[in-house]
Amino acid sequence: MATAASGQPQFISSPGGNRSFSNSPLIDNSDSNQIIVPEKKSWKNFFAYLGPGFLVSIAYIDPGNFETDLQSGARYKYELLWIILVASCAALLIQSLAANLGVVTGKHLAEHCRAEYSKVPNFMLWLVAEIAVVACDIPEVIGTAFALNMLFSIPVWIGVLLTGLSTLMLLALQKYGVRKLEFLIAFLVFTIAICFFIELHYSKPDPGEVLHGLFVPQLKGNGATGLAISLLGAMVMPHNLFLHSALVLSRKIPRSATGIKEACRFYLIESGLALMVAFLINVSVISVSGAVCNAPDLSPTDRASCEDLDLNKASFLLRNVVGKWSSKLFAIALLASGQSSTITGTYAGQYVMQGFLDLRLEPWLRNFLTRCLAIIPSLIVALIGGSAGAGKLIIIASMILSFELPFALVPLLKFTSCKTKMGSYVNPKAISALTWVIGGLIMGINIYYLVSSFIKLLINSHMKLVAVVFCGILGFTGIAIYLAAIAYLVFRKNKEATHLLATTNSQTVETLPRQDIVDMQLRGKVATSDVD
């Protein structure tokens, strides 16, 4: 199959079939624009690994995070800060496992799922992953619509429709160099972060209360549990696991034991730095929202905004920093945040489809399909519920991501804890135990909230008894299927062994770069060559 930089087919199927790794497409020549890591061991190699972790971390400061952070601070002050701390630590551990899987095996998570599971489970996992990508795109759609509303007074529902074009235009700009584009986006996002840091000085949150919120877990009421699940879903996203395990394949590392260990170590450090920045931004947003909305001298207008706070009303929090320009600056940063997150979501969707189904779409077509699926619920809610309804949809989308997390997390934990797949790079027992505890806690909180909320809904409903019983049977059957699916993934034994790309001696084996990874590299337009 031959591909070219122009005239590339929009729908591609790899020729090797959908069950084998050995026939995955590889570039014939070595000039592939991959980032090549020197064989010599040096701390300077760290700069060659910079990129994937920060690209993944964009998802931790997207409009969905801003929305949940703002509502958490406004409604519960600093009480949910510990969720951000726990979620950030869990995200660092889980993302490092995803990176390790890609580095050690040379295949990303979706490809491992395709090789490991039979057709029906594999198709269901793909479907769940696609829903997660769409659920992640909903906050980007609404956040962009809010930004357009603040900048140009465009109605939210019209802004939702316009988002279908905005990201396609942004993707088209990549031919001028996506590094420059990402730098611009990161600059705008960090502009709003700096404003929130400065606002901390004006709002003067009590340090003791902030530390108490960070290190003393508490959940007061079902509403706090729902927001906690939204915070988890916004911080530990299932599509990020697929994305991170694929992005690390864009580096051509020495395939020796030393080279692989160095890669895993540097990716861990890079992920730690990126997540630290995201952690500080999220903590500052919650702290500012909590301090401003719970201040005793708050004006009636601002107090009304705090009672139903969403992204479209949050610019008043920055008034002390940038005055009357607060709305415009917040809108620009919100627009940049949403667009940058959408680009990474597009690539995650590409890897998910390629990995599970062995199919690839052109990035613009892939983005168009995903964006259409995200626009439909966003448009309906914006028309019916307005700005407040759209804000609530962001929370619901984040909760969906949290409920779907086990279907990406459990396979990742199973694969990285399996010696037949990871060889000597298998997770240490302590790491495996810790990750399973984290995964168990996340699943436990999700199930508790799901069951308790459903029971509360049935009890408080005004339906007739027959309708309540019927809905109860349907609802609990769905919950039982959800639990059974998770149990299947947890207790099923791995069957497929992975051919390790690392050598067991000091010899270095250079592997050819992956065609699908190079095609979707976040480094600008890449010329492709013939593939087998």
Side-chain angles (χ1 to χ4, degrees), residues 204-399:
K204 293 181 173 59
D206 184 83
E209 291 185 25
V210 172
L211 290 175
H212 186 271
L214 273 173
F215 296 105
V216 180
Q218 51 187 321
L219 288 174
K220 297 180 180 178
N222 207 44
T225 305
L227 265 180
I229 291 175
S230 298
L231 287 170
L232 282 173
M235 288 294 293
V236 189
M237 297 184 179
H239 76 282
N240 263 0
L241 306 185
F242 298 105
L243 178 64
H244 204 171
S245 63
L247 287 177
V248 297
L249 300 179
S250 63
R251 269 65 175 169
K252 188 176 183 180
I253 67 173
R255 302 310 304 181
S256 63
T258 302
I260 288 182
K261 287 181 180 178
E262 180 185 72
C264 292
R265 181 172 68 254
F266 282 149
Y267 277 131
L268 174 63
I269 296 172
E270 187 223 9
S271 296
L273 292 174
L275 287 172
M276 175 61 72
V277 174
F279 168 76
L280 292 175
I281 292 174
N282 282 289
V283 168
S284 68
V285 174
I286 291 179
S287 299
V288 169
S289 177
V292 172
C293 288
N294 290 277
D297 57 346
L298 195 65
S299 68
T301 303
D302 289 347
R303 189 170 299 280
S305 297
C306 285
E307 289 177 358
D308 191 20
L309 188 61
D310 59 37
L311 290 173
N312 213 20
K313 304 174 184 176
S315 60
F316 78 90
L317 297 173
L318 300 177
R319 196 173 297 144
N320 289 333
V321 183
V322 289
K324 65 180 182 179
W325 290 99
S326 61
S327 176
K328 304 300 181 184
L329 180 60
F330 186 82
I332 292 172
L334 186 60
L335 183 66
S337 172
Q339 295 303 290
S340 58
S341 298
T342 300
I343 289 178
T344 57
T346 298
Y347 291 123
Q350 280 279 72
Y351 294 131
V352 163
M353 179 171 285
Q354 175 270 327
F356 280 109
L357 303 183
D358 206 21
L359 300 172
R360 288 183 285 126
L361 294 177
E362 283 292 291
W364 71 267
L365 182 58
R366 167 74 218 191
N367 177 267
F368 180 75
L369 294 175
T370 303
R371 182 49 56 96
C372 286
L373 292 175
I375 282 177
I376 292 172
S378 302
L379 181 62
I380 293 173
V381 172
L383 286 171
I384 297 175
S387 174
K392 291 177 181 177
L393 183 59
I394 293 180
I395 301 297
I396 294 173
S398 298
M399 292 175 68

Side-chain angles (χ1 to χ4, degrees), residues 61 189-205 276-285 287-288 318 321:
I61 49 175
V189 172
F190 278 99
T191 298
I192 199 70
I194 291 172
C195 286
F196 273 109
F197 291 151
I198 298 174
E199 178 70 8
L200 283 173
H201 171 72
Y202 287 96
S203 57
K204 293 181 173 59
M276 175 61 72
V277 174
F279 168 76
L280 292 175
I281 292 174
N282 282 289
V283 168
S284 68
V285 174
S287 299
V288 169
L318 300 177
V321 183

Side-chain angles (χ1 to χ4, degrees), residues 15 52 83 472:
I83 294 289

Side-chain angles (χ1 to χ4, degrees), residues 8 28 36 53 70 181 246 321 334 363 393 443 492 507:
Q8 199 174 27
D28 260 343
I36 300 176
L70 290 169
L181 186 63
V321 183
L334 186 60
L393 183 59
M443 288 182 276
R492 180 189 180 277
Q507 181 183 6

Side-chain angles (χ1 to χ4, degrees), residues 78-121:
Y78 316 121
E79 293 179 8
L80 298 181
L81 281 174
W82 67 275
I83 294 289
I84 299 296
L85 178 61
V86 171
S88 298
C89 293
L92 174 59
L93 180 59
I94 293 169
Q95 293 293 163
S96 67
L97 295 185
N100 291 351
L101 181 68
V103 168
V104 173
T105 66
K107 305 293 174 182
H108 56 80
L109 179 57
E111 291 175 318
H112 280 284
C113 290
R114 187 180 82 234
E116 181 64 37
Y117 300 111
S118 58
K119 289 184 178 180
V120 173

